[in-house]
Amino acid sequence: MSTPQDLLIVALDAEGTRPVRSGELSLALAGAELLDLSKSRAVHLDGDRMVPGDLTAPTDRLLKEAVASLVVAEPFESVGDWLWRRGRDLTATYMAAFEAEGLVQKQGIRHFRGGHTALVDSIPRRRAAERWFSGEPVLRTLAEGLGITGEPTGEFQEIADDAAETVLAAVNGALQELEAERQRRSIEEAAYDNVWRSPE
């Protein structure tokens, strides 16, 4: 399994301080993809620019799609731009892949609206849980940025990879930017509502 797949499993499985929203998760999944592409040397970072490397390296289908969408001409794409572009609706893409692979199933009464998608017991789910509870730092940092918490059973591990630190910092920045934009829109909508409610 890839880091984005593990992250999605953790997001579906773990309890957090707040529900994980698809927009935030999509940004984090795009970051997770980039971390895997960097690890496989399909991409290397020059500052915050993504320079294509061995584009044949990924074997995972969705990571191959990610590689196919890379900007291969100078000045190349920044990590931040990648997160916003690749992250658009990425949660839905991964959920569709999980459904196709039988890793999730719909729960709830068929005749009524609602219900939810739940993970089935599977080897990928167990592997993701093992990685999560071992305290693996990249996965935990991505998950904690989404408000997912939990006590690792393994020892704390530091991130010693400059590229990983760059990507994780960019994901954190994008998540903060998204939240700030949501708050700005909420304030504007509240102000608009107040105008219509005020007496003449």
Side-chain angles (χ1 to χ4, degrees):
M1 294 292 283
S2 65
T3 299
Q5 290 169 326
D6 286 346
L7 178 61
L8 180 55
I9 288 172
V10 168
L12 291 171
D13 228 1
E15 294 183 2
T17 56
R18 57 182 168 79
V20 178
R21 292 187 280 195
S22 63
E24 282 90 343
L25 183 53
S26 288
L27 288 170
L29 289 170
E33 284 188 334
L34 181 50
L35 288 164
D36 279 3
L37 294 181
S38 174
K39 189 174 180 179
S40 70
R41 304 197 182 281
V43 167
H44 73 269
L45 297 186
D46 182 4
D48 75 334
R49 295 285 167 176
M50 299 167 47
V51 181
D54 180 8
L55 301 183
T56 64
T59 56
D60 175 82
R61 178 180 66 81
L62 289 173
L63 288 180
K64 284 182 178 180
E65 289 181 10
V67 163
S69 72
L70 288 171
V71 174
V72 295
E74 293 186 359
F76 304 115
E77 190 170 29
S78 71
V79 173
D81 288 345
W82 161 268
L83 295 177
W84 290 106
R85 180 176 63 83
R86 175 64 182 167
R88 186 180 300 275
D89 298 323
L90 197 55
T91 298
T93 299
Y94 273 86
M95 284 299 297
F98 270 28
E99 290 176 12
E101 293 169 17
L103 298 177
V104 294
Q105 63 183 9
K106 298 285 187 182
Q107 291 189 342
I109 301 173
R110 206 175 359 170
H111 301 295
F112 296 92
R113 292 186 179 183
H116 65 282
T117 301
L119 289 162
V120 302
D121 185 28
S122 64
I123 291 174
R125 183 181 185 182
R126 289 181 218 139
R127 286 178 180 164
E130 182 179 334
R131 184 177 178 187
W132 168 248
F133 286 112
S134 74
E136 195 278 319
V138 166
L139 182 61
R140 292 199 69 86
T141 301
L142 287 168
E144 287 170 359
L146 299 171
I148 301 169
T149 57
E151 290 298 325
T153 56
E155 295 182 3
F156 176 78
Q157 304 171 48
E158 293 186 357
I159 297 171
D161 185 336
D162 290 343
E165 288 184 349
T166 298
V167 173
L168 291 170
V171 170
N172 185 56
L175 292 173
Q176 291 178 354
E177 185 179 342
L178 180 57
E179 181 58 27
E181 177 62 18
R182 281 205 177 111
Q183 290 180 5
R184 183 188 67 79
R185 289 184 181 180
S186 178
I187 291 169
E188 288 179 352
E189 288 171 3
Y192 181 79
D193 288 344
N194 286 337
V195 168
W196 287 104
R197 288 176 188 157
S198 60
E200 295 182 359

